[in-house]
Amino acid sequence: MQTERVRSAARPEGQLLGRLAAMKTMSVVELKAEWQSLIGTPAPNNSRQFLEHRLAYRIQELALGGLGGPAAKLLDALADEVEGKKVRRTVISDPRNPVIGTRLVREWDGAEHVITVLNDGFDWQGRRYKSLSSIARDITGTRWNGYRFFGLRDIKRGERP
């Protein structure tokens, strides 16, 4: 049993787990020093729990690698959008959306409604919309989940029709 512990401590994952566990015994001052060394900025005056969680993520990120390219690009684009920056021309689109150019047809109250999928939204009656839900609301006068209204709800994420 003792031999097994020695072996697991020598493995990279054993070192990682040991480093994460060691944070529980550190003082807030030590956590802030760890923050400075790992992140390179002064630690914010946040709770111990915040420091532990953020440091644990950073330690794992350094040991195991960070986010992959597409996820990192998406998060960068979302951050730019939240901050109001127009630096990138990245279009953030829901993977449930059909391929650009697809026409969605829905009959409602005896009228046929044709929606065209665009690169950055949808077109209905010559007007651009950001979501299918807003089109469904304009058609019906009530709130709808746009994917359900247009029959796309059962499609699993990442599977395009």
Side-chain angles (χ1 to χ4, degrees), residues 44-79:
N45 287 326
N46 288 329
S47 69
R48 174 185 185 85
Q49 185 179 21
F50 172 83
L51 295 171
E52 286 178 359
H53 287 158
R54 183 63 184 97
L55 287 170
Y57 179 87
R58 182 66 177 149
I59 290 167
Q60 292 174 78
E61 180 182 40
L62 292 171
L64 305 172
L67 292 173
K73 285 181 184 177
L74 177 62
L75 288 174
D76 284 342
L78 287 169

Side-chain angles (χ1 to χ4, degrees), residues 36-133:
Q36 179 71 41
S37 72
L38 288 175
I39 298 177
T41 62
N45 287 326
N46 288 329
S47 69
R48 174 185 185 85
Q49 185 179 21
F50 172 83
L51 295 171
E52 286 178 359
H53 287 158
R54 183 63 184 97
L55 287 170
Y57 179 87
R58 182 66 177 149
I59 290 167
Q60 292 174 78
E61 180 182 40
L62 292 171
L64 305 172
L67 292 173
K73 285 181 184 177
L74 177 62
L75 288 174
D76 284 342
L78 287 169
D80 288 348
E81 187 176 303
V82 167
E83 293 171 0
K85 294 180 184 175
K86 298 271 183 179
V87 177
R88 295 176 186 85
R89 183 61 188 133
T90 304
V91 175
I92 302 167
S93 101
D94 192 316
R96 296 175 294 178
N97 289 345
V99 176
I100 296 166
T102 300
R103 293 177 54 195
L104 304 172
V105 181
R106 173 69 151 97
E107 186 177 325
W108 183 263
D109 277 345
E112 186 176 87
H113 300 277
V114 180
I115 289 78
T116 304
V117 179
L118 305 173
N119 186 34
D120 57 350
F122 306 92
D123 177 85
W124 176 59
Q125 295 182 337
R127 291 181 292 186
R128 291 183 156 233
Y129 290 81
K130 288 188 176 186
S131 73
L132 288 171
S133 297

